[in-house]
Amino acid sequence: MKQETTTPAVPEWFEARRKPRARIVARWVPWVMVGIPVLVLLAIVVYPTVWMAYHAFHDTNMMGLFTGRYAYVGWQNFANVLSDPRFHNSVVNLVWYLTFGATLEVLLGTALALILYELVPRPGLRVVLLVAMVLPMMLPPSIVGVLWKFLLQANNGAVNHLLINLGLMAPTERIDWLGVDLSLTSLIIADVWQWTALPLLIVYSGRVSLPPAVFEAARVDGASRFTVLRRLTLPMLKEIIAIAFILRFMDAYKFVDKVYVMTSGGPAQSSELPVFIAFQKGIREFQIGEAAAYAWLIFVVAAVIITLFLQYLKRVLKAQAFA
Amino acid sequence: MARVELDRVNKIYRGRGIEVHAVRDLSLAIEDGEFVAILGPSGCGKTSTLRMIVGLEDITGGEIRFDGRRVNELGPEARNVAMAFETYALYPTFTVFENLAFPLEVRGLERARIEREVREIARLLEIEDILGQKPGQLSGGQQQRVSLGRALVREPAVFILDEVMSHLDAHLKFRMLFELKRLHQRLGRTMVYVTHDQVEALALADRVAVMSNAELQQFADRDALYNRPANRFVADFIGEPPTNFFDARVVGEGGEVRLVVNGTGLAFRPDGQRRAVLARSGAREVTVGIRPQNLGIEPPDGACERIEAEVDIFEYLGETAILALRSGERAFRAVASPRHRYEPGTPLSLFYRPRDVMLFDPATGDFLA
Ligand SMILES: Nc1ncnc2c1ncn2[C@@H]1O[C@H](COP(=O)(O)OP(=O)(O)OP(=O)(O)O)[C@@H](O)[C@H]1O
Ligand SMILES: [Mg+2]
């Protein structure tokens, strides 16, 4: 009698894959696939960082770079930067820019998102408004810079014209938007115009995903709209708003494109930011050593701030039992 | 304090191309201070009804009145109702204490009073030990009690409670039902309690509204629901195990009327009152309903009749036992004492009182007698 063959529990094609020698690809393929990105990262991130760290302690300039002659100067570059009034001025500008720019964007974005959600009843209209508000974000920052530079011209700018036509200003008067007093404010205006939509989108989607039953319960409990906003909506959105702020903060910290296009840091360094100075020193004046010191200072401060942010996020996620 | 009237209330949900008629022509008059349960299977429109009473849902048709005053256009904040949600809907950023305190806080009560009331309700619901925790850290049953507590901490005109005991274990549920009943007696406020558990509904409520398929089937006290169910659905839904139904022919005349169950050797004899109803209607076919509790192995006191059947399964439940019986092709059930075991296949005589035989119209399912 023929012996009964037992069917294998695992299909053959699966077995084949499990055999140690049966490889899908050759042995070198994974090495190459991981190797290429690693090499690229080494070339464009690790090498420049180390190179920069090295030159931060040397008096490298354009000549030195080509001839290979530069001397070790210790912490001299850092001392120069830290004692430079131009640097102090740029830090003050940055703080203004962060407090008024990033903060204003998040506050405005949050307010608009909640207004959109609570006060615009028709979903179709909501989507149209949302798209309209997101449009500026889709323009390249340099284009936005050029656009606002034109709008804010003192003599022929549309903004001054508008103010005159609205009767808010005498026809002979001119506001010098890009002058010493207002250049930083103008940058902030342009940036807020472009980026408010990001916190808006983030907070809006956060609000949409909050459970409606909680708000129904609050209505039944007799809470006023303002109480609901203050005690429930905002606390429930706190983490989302913080994330929106972190995103805007990180972007604002390295803000350079509109400065370059609109004011070039001027007039009289009134709108200069640290990143822009580093860019000027390094790429324009070829003071490689000092630019490297700038870059390192910026990097270290950024690292500290980001670490604090991440720590906050981790605590939040843990409190919500996600992590 | 409020008398709540629902007058031919309808709810239709309209979505992309589909329409759900969730509540159809529902009329209820709930007296001031009454404890009413709404009972029905899942999806029959209980929550929709509550949401219309509270004011969270538009009323598609009909009118809801509180103390005779139309409230259709009022929002929940203007109706002075408290609601415990089926999904709990706890405030996630608040502690349990803050959750319970919120309804009092927005009413501007002073701190000490809030503290006292919250502790009192927490003691009642046995959640004092978790007052400092956030809802996310609680078990389902704990969250459910917090949600119940948030509704009970206020003294509104009407309490609306939507399946507030579904996640509690049997012991805890028993204690909570007792506390709720006591609270109702003390406050004397109108309460509407939704459940699909008939034990809860019958234990708590003065009157029970039985719903099925978006419609009210019967609104009555437990005695009427049990002995004079409005239709076959109510007779089936109320009582555990469910009522036995038989399609029968009416055979004989006058005092000799028998209801012969098709396809079996079973025949029931109704009492005089039921015979009169049958004679008046002239029906030749009826649906006979008899509760398993009313089919006994020992003859009851007073007049009784008997039927013969065969034991199929003997199911032991502790305090009682359920006999699954068979006569020909027809299976049915009886409740027996657990003292005696019956082997499958044992022939058995069962006794019933003629007045326990319920008659239903076989076409509409309406109660005849
Ligand atoms: N927002 C809604 N949109 C569309 N249909 C809905 C909505 N809410 C409920 N329904 C439908 O209405 C019907 C009744 O729902 P409802 O929630 O009132 O039932 P229920 O009796 O409370 O059931 P359960 O015991 O499961 O809670 C269901 O068929 C449901 O699908
Ligand atoms: Mg429900």
Side-chain angles (χ1 to χ4, degrees):
Chain A
M1 202 172 102
K2 211 178 99 189
Q3 179 132 19
E4 196 119 334
T5 52
T6 52
T7 47
V10 183
E12 210 151 298
W13 57 267
F14 190 80
E15 273 299 296
R17 189 172 291 185
R18 278 180 34 181
K19 273 182 202 143
R21 236 158 307 191
R23 290 180 190 282
I24 303 169
V25 293
R27 185 183 277 275
W28 53 269
V29 171
W31 286 96
V32 172
M33 290 173 105
V34 177
I36 290 173
V38 167
L39 283 181
V40 170
L41 275 181
L42 280 176
I44 68 170
V45 177
V46 178
Y47 173 71
T49 313
V50 173
W51 188 89
M52 208 172 66
Y54 176 78
H55 285 283
F57 294 97
H58 292 81
D59 64 348
T60 319
N61 55 22
M62 182 139 72
M63 284 310 288
L65 204 58
F66 286 117
T67 58
R69 276 209 298 274
Y70 38 77
Y72 177 75
V73 292
W75 293 93
Q76 188 58 47
N77 283 328
F78 290 93
N80 284 351
V81 170
L82 288 173
S83 60
D84 187 353
R86 190 172 165 200
F87 175 69
H88 300 161
N89 173 49
S90 75
V91 169
V92 171
N93 283 349
L94 179 65
V95 170
W96 272 95
Y97 174 71
L98 287 177
T99 12
F100 285 100
T103 311
L104 195 64
E105 283 161 21
V106 174
L107 288 182
L108 263 181
T110 304
L112 285 174
L114 293 178
I115 288 171
L116 204 61
Y117 185 89
E118 307 280 351
L119 300 183
V120 181
R122 295 248 312 277
L125 186 61
R126 262 194 231 171
V127 172
V128 170
L129 288 176
L130 207 59
V131 170
M133 287 192 266
V134 168
L135 277 178
M137 221 166 64
M138 293 165 68
L139 299 172
S142 49
I143 301 291
V144 173
V146 173
L147 187 75
W148 278 93
K149 191 174 175 180
F150 280 119
L151 291 176
L152 294 171
Q153 288 299 322
N155 283 318
N156 295 313
V159 174
N160 278 350
H161 268 292
L162 185 71
L163 290 176
I164 291 170
N165 287 343
L166 286 177
L168 296 173
M169 207 164 74
T172 50
E173 239 181 297
R174 294 283 180 273
I175 295 182
D176 190 7
W177 290 103
L178 299 171
V180 176
D181 293 334
L182 289 175
S183 59
L184 191 64
T185 311
S186 296
L187 280 177
I188 290 175
I189 289 173
D191 204 51
V192 166
W193 180 81
Q194 178 166 27
W195 286 113
T196 296
L198 186 75
L200 185 151
L201 273 183
I202 294 172
V203 173
Y204 182 81
S205 61
R207 178 64 188 86
V208 168
S209 63
L210 293 182
V214 170
F215 296 92
E216 291 177 346
R219 280 185 75 192
V220 176
D221 281 345
S224 68
R225 286 189 103 147
F226 178 69
T227 308
V228 171
L229 178 74
R230 195 173 58 85
R231 299 288 315 274
L232 291 170
T233 317
L234 287 178
M236 282 162 85
L237 288 173
K238 198 176 76 197
E239 291 80 24
I240 301 265
I241 294 173
I243 288 171
F245 183 77
I246 290 171
L247 282 178
R248 277 319 298 149
F249 183 91
M250 292 196 302
D251 199 47
Y253 189 76
K254 58 180 202 236
F255 178 73
V256 73
D257 31 34
K258 287 197 200 75
V259 180
Y260 185 70
V261 173
M262 286 175 70
T263 67
S264 296
Q269 297 160 10
S270 61
S271 61
E272 234 174 23
L273 299 176
V275 180
F276 186 73
I277 300 180
F279 165 75
Q280 282 269 328
K281 289 246 181 220
I283 309 294
R284 283 287 141 89
E285 302 165 19
F286 274 96
Q287 300 289 336
I288 307 292
E290 219 173 297
Y294 259 107
W296 265 94
L297 284 173
I298 292 166
F299 174 70
V300 167
V301 173
V304 169
I305 293 173
I306 292 301
T307 309
L308 292 178
F309 275 151
L310 288 182
Q311 221 124 60
Y312 167 77
L313 270 188
K314 210 155 138 192
R315 215 185 57 220
V316 164
L317 293 182
K318 198 170 263 166
Q320 296 184 339
F322 288 147
Chain B
M1 297 281 168
R3 175 186 146 86
V4 179
E5 283 168 285
L6 282 73
D7 192 356
R8 299 182 70 80
V9 168
N10 279 275
K11 177 69 206 177
I12 302 175
Y13 293 104
R14 292 199 174 85
R16 295 201 182 87
I18 51 159
E19 265 190 17
V20 183
H21 208 141
V23 178
R24 182 170 293 150
D25 282 336
L26 177 66
S27 296
L28 280 182
I30 301 166
E31 298 303 327
D32 185 14
E34 198 179 16
F35 198 136
V36 164
I38 300 181
L39 179 63
S42 190
C44 70
K46 304 183 296 291
T47 299
S48 305
T49 306
L50 290 193
R51 290 173 60 85
M52 286 190 288
I53 298 178
V54 174
L56 290 171
E57 206 75 66
D58 290 337
I59 299 162
T60 316
E63 192 171 77
I64 294 183
R65 290 185 290 269
F66 282 20
D67 285 331
R69 200 164 55 98
R70 177 185 163 98
V71 294
N72 285 32
E73 286 74 27
L74 297 183
E77 53 287 332
R79 293 192 195 184
N80 192 20
V81 290
M83 178 167 184
F85 288 75
E86 193 176 0
T87 52
Y88 316 151
L90 298 176
Y91 307 126
T93 51
F94 289 6
T95 62
V96 169
F97 183 94
E98 289 165 331
N99 263 283
L100 294 173
F102 190 69
L104 304 176
E105 205 183 301
V106 299
R107 278 180 175 66
L109 261 61
E110 70 202 62
R111 218 48 240 171
R113 168 100 189 274
I114 293 176
E115 177 92 20
R116 207 170 58 235
E117 306 259 331
V118 168
R119 300 234 170 254
E120 164 70 16
I121 207 75
R123 192 185 56 73
L124 219 67
L125 297 171
E126 303 176 23
I127 47 175
E128 291 158 296
D129 49 331
I130 53 166
L131 282 177
Q133 266 155 286
K134 296 262 175 84
Q137 307 164 308
L138 304 179
S139 77
Q142 289 171 328
Q143 293 183 38
Q144 193 159 40
R145 277 175 288 160
V146 176
S147 141
L148 177 58
R150 192 178 56 185
L152 296 180
V153 79
R154 277 171 58 192
E155 295 194 9
V158 185
F159 287 103
I160 305 280
L161 310 175
D162 195 355
E163 298 195 12
V164 289
M165 309 258 178
S166 58
H167 278 180
L168 306 185
D169 66 74
H171 277 88
L172 192 54
K173 188 190 273 190
F174 184 77
R175 291 200 297 277
M176 295 296 114
L177 288 174
F178 180 74
E179 292 295 350
L180 190 59
K181 187 80 193 161
R182 251 204 354 203
L183 191 75
H184 173 249
Q185 275 163 3
R186 199 181 73 213
L187 298 177
R189 301 291 160 109
T190 313
M191 278 197 187
V192 183
Y193 183 96
V194 155
T195 174
H196 45 219
D197 180 350
Q198 52 168 308
V199 177
E200 281 171 37
L202 297 173
L204 287 172
D206 301 322
R207 282 192 295 169
V208 179
V210 181
M211 284 182 76
S212 165
N213 270 329
E215 288 185 68
L216 179 67
Q217 305 294 325
Q218 189 169 11
F219 183 37
D221 59 22
R222 47 205 113 178
D223 183 52
L225 288 176
Y226 202 80
N227 297 316
R228 292 181 302 282
N231 54 37
R232 200 179 146 157
F233 174 83
V234 177
D236 193 25
F237 197 73
I238 303 281
E240 183 62 38
T243 304
N244 300 303
F245 293 102
F246 305 94
D247 289 326
R249 273 175 298 122
V250 184
V251 175
E253 295 282 327
E256 285 307 303
V257 165
R258 287 177 307 134
L259 306 169
V260 179
V261 180
N262 304 335
T264 66
L266 297 180
F268 290 95
R269 280 179 193 282
D271 67 350
Q273 182 213 338
R274 287 169 179 75
R275 282 202 303 271
V277 172
L278 273 180
R280 226 179 305 127
S281 73
R284 303 314 302 165
E285 308 264 318
V286 286
T287 298
V288 173
I290 186 144
R291 293 191 183 275
Q293 288 83 352
N294 294 335
L295 280 175
I297 296 164
E298 277 131 48
D301 304 333
C304 70
E305 298 282 343
R306 69 201 240 171
I307 54 172
E308 309 292 335
E310 191 174 284
V311 177
D312 220 2
I313 300 167
F314 180 83
E315 200 180 325
Y316 178 75
L317 293 182
E319 281 165 44
T320 59
I322 294 176
L323 279 171
L325 301 152
R326 167 175 300 283
S327 171
E329 286 301 294
R330 282 306 314 269
F332 61 99
R333 276 180 282 208
V335 173
S337 131
R339 266 169 296 160
H340 197 89
R341 269 198 90 89
Y342 294 92
E343 291 307 318
T346 318
L348 209 59
S349 291
L350 294 149
F351 299 90
Y352 65 92
R353 293 181 298 191
R355 65 181 164 94
D356 289 332
V357 175
M358 297 183 282
L359 303 178
F360 300 92
D361 185 316
T364 61
D366 286 345
F367 185 73
L368 295 174

